[in-house]
Amino acid sequence: DTAVSQTPKYLVTQMGNDKSIKCEQNLGHDTMYWYKQDSKKFLKIMFSYNNKELIINETVPNRFSPKSPDKAHLNLHINSLELGDSAVYFCASSKTGPGNTIYFGEGSWLTVV
Amino acid sequence: GESVGLHLPTLSVQEGDNSIINCAYSNSASDYFIWYKQESGKGPQFIIDIRSNMDKRQGQRVTVLLNKTVKHLSLQIAATQPGDSAVYFCAENKGYSTLTFGKGTMLLVSP
C-alpha cells in the first residue's frame, strides 16, 4: 500500500487554467506538507498543515491554495497557472514534533504550456 | 570524481567502490539531520538520520557522519551498486521547524 499518494502524476495544462493536485496519506500522521522541486532539483517547502490547520505558508503566490478536509488529506489548488509554475510538486507527511522523518509521495509533474 | 558547477554536483564511481557524499549545512542550531535518496521519477526516500548529540550512525551499507564544528554532514555508501544511482539530499531542522533541504548530489554508479 502506498503511504503517501498523490494524483495526478502528470498534468499538462494551458496558462490561465485552474488545476488541483490531490494527496492522501495512510500513515496516521498529523502533519502534511507540499514541496516544490524546480528544474535544478531544489526542494522548497510551500505549505505545512497540522491537524487540518495551516502552520507554515512560505512565500508562495496566493494563486496557490492548499485545502485540508481532514488530517489524512491535503490538496493543492492552483489558479491562473503561469509558465513558471511548471515543476514537480511533492506531498509529504510526518508525525508532529521535532525530529520526525518526513515521508514523500511520488510527485506530480506539472507542465504549463 | 566530483564536480560542482551550474549543474547538479555529480559523483561518479565504479560498482563496488565506496562512495562519500558531502553536505554543508547552514544552521548551527540544527539538531536533526536526514539523508534522502531520490531516484529518477520518484519522490525522496528516507535513508538514514542522525541527531546532533551523535557523531556517527550506521545503517545497512550506509554511514552518516556529523561534524558540528564545521557544520558538515557526510553519507558513506559501502560497496556501491548500480541501484544506488540517484540524487542524494541532506536535510536539517531544529525543533519544530520544517526540514530545510540541501541542493542535492547526483551519484552515478558504473557497472
Side-chain angles (χ1 to χ4, degrees), chain A residues 9 35 37 40-42 45 56 90 97-99 101-102 104-106 109, chain B residues 8 32 34 36 38 41-44 46 49 51 89 95-96 98-99 101:
Chain A
K9 187 169 176 73
Y35 279 82
Q37 187 172 48
K40 292 190 171 77
K41 298 287 189 183
F42 186 61
I45 182 75
I56 290 175
F90 286 100
T101 302
I102 294 181
F104 285 83
E106 294 286 270
W109 269 252
Chain B
L8 203 61
Y32 181 59
I34 305 181
Y36 283 88
Q38 185 178 18
K42 295 190 176 181
F46 170 87
D49 59 1
R51 299 189 191 274
F89 293 95
Y96 287 84
T98 303
L99 280 179
F101 281 80

Side-chain angles (χ1 to χ4, degrees), chain A residues 65-81:
Chain A
S65 53
K67 293 228 171 13
S68 182
D70 55 62
K71 70 176 191 177
H73 295 82
L74 181 61
N75 304 322
L76 183 64
H77 188 76
I78 315 170
N79 289 328
S80 302
L81 278 155

Side-chain angles (χ1 to χ4, degrees), chain A residues 29-46:
Chain A
H29 291 161
D30 291 331
T31 302
M32 295 187 72
Y33 312 83
W34 278 107
Y35 279 82
K36 180 179 180 180
Q37 187 172 48
D38 62 23
S39 57
K40 292 190 171 77
K41 298 287 189 183
F42 186 61
L43 270 165
K44 189 168 161 55
I45 182 75
M46 298 173 70

